[in-house]
């Protein structure tokens, strides 16, 4: 019997990580959550509140943290690189304090520099942070992007050289975003396309898939556009999500929505995913 995946979403933490996050979780019917512990669009290293950290850790809820969007270990800008190191180190520490299972980081872009130089930066600056993670601390979950610009990792095939740049470190996991994968050219709407995508992921990075971002897409397969849509309302549709949850590579892997709208939309998306998981 395959292990059942928890289904949840990225939650608002207004009022405190535990107070706001757990209340929103209950409101939308989530079974797991993802949070920001700092401003998602800035470099500030928010310390948080120890009481809220402790309450979230004690709740036993499967929690993941997403780093700010500005983080880019492939950037040629020394200031961006230094800030990326500081923010990920801080987020890993905060993630450990709340009992998070993983810290999600976008795989980044070479921007204007040669790809090989950007990949060397991963080895020089991201690998040491993986080495610093203590026993019981959260894994770093690498999230491939939609393929726009000079992205370092978009397709499943791109994951292999990315992990190689990190010496296949055991604390480097994968967070697969369905909208990103679809935009990067993986046709998840075709049964064969979905199966091949997850078969290949399992082959290249067995045991490393730790989280799935379940998002429909406003744009076509191969568009290289990262525009999320509510489940079943986009060009992926709802059926592929049912097939995804039946694939052996996803067994027991938490599924987290990052879809548009407020609580009513998020509640509907989670209810739909639960019904697909449970055969409804």
């Amino acid at each position: 019997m395959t292990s059942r995946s928890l289904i949840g979403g990225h939650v608002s933490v207004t009022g405190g990580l535990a107070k706001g996050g757990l209340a929103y979780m209950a409101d939308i019917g989530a079974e797991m959550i993802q949070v920001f512990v700092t401003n998602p669009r800035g470099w500030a290293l928010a310390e948080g509140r120890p009481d809220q950290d402790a309450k979230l850790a004690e709740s036993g809820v499967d929690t993941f943290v997403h780093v700010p969007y500005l983080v880019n270990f492939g950037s040629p800008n020394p200031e961006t690189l230094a800030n990326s190191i500081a923010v990920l180190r801080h987020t890993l520490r905060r993630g450990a304090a709340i009992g998070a299972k993983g810290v999600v980081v976008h795989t980044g872009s070479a921007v204007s520099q040669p790809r090989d130089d950007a990949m060397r930066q991963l080895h020089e600056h991201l690998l040491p942070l993986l080495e610093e993670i203590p026993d019981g601390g959260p894994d770093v979950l690498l999230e491939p992007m939609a393929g726009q610009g000079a992205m370092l990792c978009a397709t499943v095939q791109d994951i292999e050289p990315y992990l190689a740049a990190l010496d296949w470190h055991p604390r480097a996991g994968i967070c697969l975003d369905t909208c990103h994968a679809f935009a990067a050219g993986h046709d998840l709407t075709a049964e064969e396309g979905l199966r091949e995508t997850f078969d290949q992921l399992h082959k290249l990075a067995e045991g490393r898939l730790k989280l799935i971002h379940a998002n429909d897409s406003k744009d076509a397969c191969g568009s290289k556009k990262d525009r999320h849509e509510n489940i079943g309302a986009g060009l992926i549709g709802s059926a592929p999500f049912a097939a995804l949850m039946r694939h052996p590579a996803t067994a027991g892997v938490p599924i987290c929505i990052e879809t548009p709208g407020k609580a009513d939309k998020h509640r509907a998306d989670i209810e739909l995913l639960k019904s697909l998981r449970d055969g409804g």
Side-chain angles (χ1 to χ4, degrees):
M1 182 177 177
T2 57
S3 180
R4 183 171 176 264
S5 293
L6 298 176
I7 295 171
H10 190 102
V11 300
S12 167
V13 294
T14 302
L17 271 180
K19 185 178 180 182
L22 295 177
Y24 197 88
M25 174 186 175
D27 187 20
I28 63 175
E31 299 166 339
M32 55 72 63
I33 59 172
Q34 178 180 274
V35 297
F36 288 119
V37 294
T38 55
N39 177 356
R41 303 190 185 279
W43 293 118
L45 305 180
E47 280 306 318
R49 291 158 50 187
D51 63 318
Q52 289 292 301
D53 288 359
K55 283 179 182 174
L56 186 52
E58 290 162 7
S59 73
V61 170
D62 278 19
T63 301
F64 295 82
V65 181
H66 201 301
V67 302
Y69 300 121
L70 297 176
V71 168
N72 181 12
F73 282 87
S75 175
N77 183 319
E79 186 177 357
T80 298
L81 183 58
N83 282 330
S84 296
I85 295 166
V87 165
L88 181 55
R89 179 177 281 126
H90 174 79
T91 307
L92 284 165
R93 182 174 63 78
R94 295 279 290 110
I98 64 173
K101 292 185 174 298
V103 169
V104 178
V105 60
H106 289 169
T107 43
S109 167
V111 191
S112 58
Q113 71 172 329
R115 181 184 181 87
D116 287 350
D117 291 348
M119 297 298 277
R120 272 194 294 274
Q121 285 181 192
L122 299 179
H123 187 84
E124 292 169 11
H125 301 290
L126 180 51
L127 180 56
L129 295 178
L130 295 170
E131 290 285 351
E132 289 177 14
I133 299 172
D135 290 344
D139 290 330
V140 169
L141 305 186
L142 307 164
E143 181 179 2
M145 302 306 293
Q148 66 275 40
M151 290 296 167
L152 297 176
C153 183
T155 66
V156 168
Q157 294 91 330
D158 293 335
I159 291 172
E160 187 171 21
Y162 202 98
L163 287 172
L166 299 173
D167 292 348
W168 297 90
H169 197 282
R171 303 310 298 269
I174 302 296
C175 169
L176 189 81
D177 185 307
T178 54
C179 175
H180 295 177
F182 189 65
H186 293 291
D187 187 2
L188 305 181
T189 64
E191 186 177 342
E192 187 66 22
L194 185 140
R195 186 166 60 248
E196 283 181 0
T197 299
F198 284 91
D199 282 353
Q200 189 165 38
L201 179 59
H202 180 71
K203 181 181 177 182
L204 293 177
E206 184 177 354
R208 291 183 187 263
L209 181 62
K210 305 290 187 181
L211 182 66
I212 294 168
H213 283 166
N215 301 302
D216 212 323
S217 175
K218 292 181 184 292
D219 299 288
C221 180
S223 66
K224 295 181 168 42
K225 292 181 179 178
D226 179 13
R227 297 201 304 155
H228 297 186
E229 183 56 283
N230 296 99
I231 306 299
L235 295 177
I236 296 176
S238 59
F241 290 96
L244 177 155
M245 287 186 274
R246 289 193 298 269
H247 193 285
T250 71
V253 177
I255 293 172
C256 178
I257 62 163
E258 298 174 315
T259 50
K262 298 187 185 296
D264 58 334
K265 291 277 195 181
H266 297 156
R267 191 181 307 115
D269 283 339
I270 287 173
E271 285 176 359
L272 176 54
L273 287 172
K274 284 180 179 178
S275 74
L276 294 171
R277 176 193 65 191
D278 300 334

